Amino acid sequence: MSTAASMPPAGEPDSHAIAIAAERRWAWVVIAIMALLVAMMIFTGLHWAAMPPSRVETVDVKTLHLKGEFVESNLGTSVGADGKVTVRLVAQQYSFQPQCIVVPAGMPVTFRGTSTDTIHGFVVGTTNANTMLIPAFVSTFTTTFPKAGEQLMPCHEYCGTGHEAMWARVQVLPAAEFMARAKPGERLSCVPR
Ligand SMILES: [Cu+2]
């Protein structure tokens, strides 16, 4: 382009200069966003290092199936002497154990889970029951299912080639029906036997 062609007619704004100014403004916006993200990474990194999350529970993956809380006979739903409902489950490529979980509606339910191999996770239907399951760590949360019905519980952390086939079912029973089925010391599930 010749110099003469790029010169604006007298009295008209120089479009080239306007474009450069606009690009420079956008460059500053992008630099500011990147600087903000880096500052957030530094802040959260330091903050978490200074105050690690509380209640970190670990388990030995190598002996998970042999002893302790996550042996096969202890998986499923239990009602404690204090009436508290606890679901214990284990995830592995590519299934959950148990494959069908029974919980009562309208009562607090505590989930305790871990993984035997890689990072898995689950979400129960459209409820807020949602966690990751990480080898060597116990994930736990307490939630209440407001209404009875059956929910799907898919794995939501990509865990390998069989990931899309990894899911369990959750049967939310009316509290009275659940309590009628629950026996002290027993582990409930809805896996057909
Ligand atoms: Cu998985």
Side-chain angles (χ1 to χ4, degrees), residues 82-129:
D82 51 1
K84 287 205 175 112
V85 181
T86 306
V87 176
R88 290 186 181 83
L89 72 155
V90 166
Q92 64 259 305
Q93 287 168 322
Y94 298 98
S95 62
F96 292 98
Q97 213 177 358
Q99 277 289 98
C100 186
I101 292 166
V102 204
V103 292
M107 285 171 69
V109 177
T110 299
F111 280 79
R112 292 177 60 77
T114 188
S115 162
T116 62
D117 41 33
T118 181
I119 295 179
H120 299 278
F122 66 84
V123 58
V124 180
T126 52
T127 71
N128 68 350

Side-chain angles (χ1 to χ4, degrees), residues 139-153:
S139 305
T140 180
F141 65 89
T142 301
T143 189
T144 302
F145 296 94
K147 54 179 196 287
E150 184 159 307
Q151 307 268 4
L152 280 183
M153 188 184 110

Side-chain angles (χ1 to χ4, degrees), residues 11-172:
E12 294 219 357
D14 180 351
S15 62
H16 182 67
I18 291 171
I20 286 191
E23 277 190 32
R24 194 160 286 145
R25 274 199 303 277
W26 278 113
W28 280 115
V29 170
V30 172
I31 288 167
I33 290 171
M34 289 194 299
L36 179 70
L37 292 177
V38 170
M40 276 163 59
M41 280 160 63
I42 291 170
F43 173 78
T44 51
L46 292 176
H47 184 71
W48 286 349
M51 275 182 269
S54 62
R55 288 195 314 112
V56 172
E57 273 186 79
T58 56
V59 280
D60 186 352
V61 177
K62 293 194 290 298
T63 58
L64 198 66
H65 58 304
L66 299 174
K67 59 177 187 192
E69 184 179 353
F70 293 98
V71 293
E72 193 176 351
S73 59
N74 200 37
L75 300 178
T77 311
S78 64
V79 182
D82 51 1
K84 287 205 175 112
V85 181
T86 306
V87 176
R88 290 186 181 83
L89 72 155
V90 166
Q92 64 259 305
Q93 287 168 322
Y94 298 98
S95 62
F96 292 98
Q97 213 177 358
Q99 277 289 98
C100 186
I101 292 166
V102 204
V103 292
M107 285 171 69
V109 177
T110 299
F111 280 79
R112 292 177 60 77
T114 188
S115 162
T116 62
D117 41 33
T118 181
I119 295 179
H120 299 278
F122 66 84
V123 58
V124 180
T126 52
T127 71
N128 68 350
N130 185 338
T131 190
M132 285 169 83
L133 297 168
I134 301 160
F137 292 91
V138 179
S139 305
T140 180
F141 65 89
T142 301
T143 189
T144 302
F145 296 94
K147 54 179 196 287
E150 184 159 307
Q151 307 268 4
L152 280 183
M153 188 184 110
C155 176
H156 65 25
E157 291 288 339
Y158 182 74
C159 54
T161 50
H163 167 68
E164 81 283 354
M166 180 170 174
W167 50 271
R169 285 179 299 136
V170 175
Q171 279 183 4
V172 187

